[in-house]
Amino acid sequence: IENRKVHIFGFFEGLHRAPDEVVKAIVAHEIAHVIHEHSTKMREKSYWVEKLTKITGTVVGTLITGHPDNATLEQASSWTNMAILPRYSQEFELEADATAVQLLKKIGISQPEKSMRSALEWIKANSSSEELGGGFFSSHPALADRIKRVSDD
């Protein structure tokens, strides 16, 4: 998502061959990210996590060594972002899935949950194992969990 424009067609090899219900669900999911301003929220969280890490690192570094260590501060900031931000990103993905179902319903899809499940299953079948999500540092929840969650809603 860039300047409120949704770019999705570079994400998945072969998306142009996917069934229409899959494409509609994926587009609805990406539009949901725009509706909820997820990229803006993530940039804001990243900014504040980085600032707080640097402030904390500067104080601790100065107390321990008498001066801050910029290389260590940059590394700590990077690690902190990697540890904290994926949790927010995973929440955003789940929110976008739920909103996508609502959007599909609004455009007249008779079984929006089924369409969203089909899209997630298509992604799962067309992704490499490292792209399936769900790890601590992963930006996306596990696809199996997302499929189950859409089924339960």
Side-chain angles (χ1 to χ4, degrees):
I1 301 170
E2 182 179 307
N3 297 326
R4 298 189 64 83
K5 293 179 184 174
V6 179
H7 302 274
I8 64 162
F9 296 100
F11 290 165
F12 304 109
E13 183 88 24
L15 182 60
H16 63 284
R17 290 187 294 273
D20 284 350
E21 75 172 352
V22 167
V23 175
K24 288 176 185 176
I26 291 172
V27 170
H29 172 92
E30 296 305 323
I31 290 171
H33 282 304
V34 174
I35 290 168
H36 294 294
E37 299 182 334
H38 287 157
S39 60
T40 300
K41 290 175 182 175
M42 189 59 75
R43 276 193 305 274
E44 289 170 357
K45 288 183 187 313
S46 177
Y47 173 83
W48 288 111
V49 166
E50 183 177 329
K51 292 296 176 199
L52 290 172
T53 302
K54 285 184 178 180
I55 291 167
T56 304
T58 300
V59 171
V60 171
T62 302
L63 290 173
I64 293 172
T65 66
H67 63 283
D69 176 359
N70 288 337
T72 303
L73 289 175
E74 287 178 25
Q75 189 62 52
S77 177
S78 173
W79 288 341
T80 304
N81 266 324
M82 284 176 31
I84 292 174
L85 295 181
R87 288 286 133 214
Y88 289 111
S89 183
Q90 288 187 16
E91 290 173 19
F92 291 163
E93 291 303 319
L94 295 174
E95 184 177 39
D97 288 346
T99 300
V101 169
Q102 295 170 3
L103 292 172
L104 292 168
K105 193 178 293 185
K106 283 183 181 180
I107 64 167
I109 302 297
S110 61
Q111 295 180 307
E113 293 86 358
K114 180 181 176 288
S115 292
M116 193 66 212
R117 275 193 311 277
S118 293
L120 294 169
E121 287 166 357
W122 184 89
I123 292 168
K124 186 176 179 181
N126 289 279
S127 298
S128 64
S129 60
E130 63 267 5
E131 296 172 322
L132 296 179
F136 183 77
F137 293 111
S138 178
S139 63
H140 288 65
L143 278 167
D145 293 339
R146 291 171 68 189
I147 292 166
K148 182 179 180 336
R149 188 176 180 120
V150 169
S151 300
D152 291 343
D153 287 346

